[in-house]
Amino acid sequence: MNVTNQGTAPTSGTVILTVAGQTPLNSPVSVPPGGSRTLTATATNTAPPGQTIQVNWSAVFYEASVMGDDPALVKRLMGRGFKLNEPLGDQRANEAKASPSCSSSTP
């Protein structure tokens, strides 16, 4: 997983990655302006033997100064389908803050 800071200020937070009821990554990360960090995660294969199933990986960059002091809330909201890295409304107040993004790929 790549975490990229597209903002003009340094940022620190926690990357929370979930898949198939697991949280294979819950890691603090700091990223300078314009920089990126690569994080690695593995999860247990939950498919029955001899079968293939589709799973969805979900990642969020949790920054306490923006999302509050309850990282467990972030996990619960993600489990209910909330897209926490998408703007919820007027973002002009956050323009001066760092703007991290998360991306992941599976081989």
Side-chain angles (χ1 to χ4, degrees):
M1 161 175 288
N2 293 318
V3 180
T4 302
N5 182 349
Q6 298 173 341
T8 58
T11 189
S12 295
T14 301
V15 174
I16 302 171
L17 180 68
T18 59
V19 62
Q22 303 169 56
T23 305
L25 183 65
N26 187 339
S27 178
V29 64
S30 295
V31 187
S36 65
R37 297 286 184 263
T38 300
L39 305 172
T40 303
T42 58
T44 302
N45 184 349
T46 59
Q51 295 185 24
T52 300
I53 62 171
Q54 181 177 347
V55 296
N56 294 313
W57 290 75
S58 179
V60 68
F61 182 83
Y62 174 82
E63 187 177 7
S65 66
V66 174
M67 296 179 163
D69 294 330
D70 187 3
L73 173 62
V74 171
K75 188 174 176 185
R76 289 192 307 272
L77 291 172
M78 287 173 57
R80 293 187 176 133
F82 284 87
K83 308 257 188 253
L84 300 178
N85 283 334
E86 293 180 5
L88 296 175
D90 186 350
Q91 293 295 304
R92 286 178 283 183
N94 293 323
E95 287 176 356
K97 293 190 63 67
S99 179
S101 65
C102 296
S103 64
S104 64
S105 61
T106 55

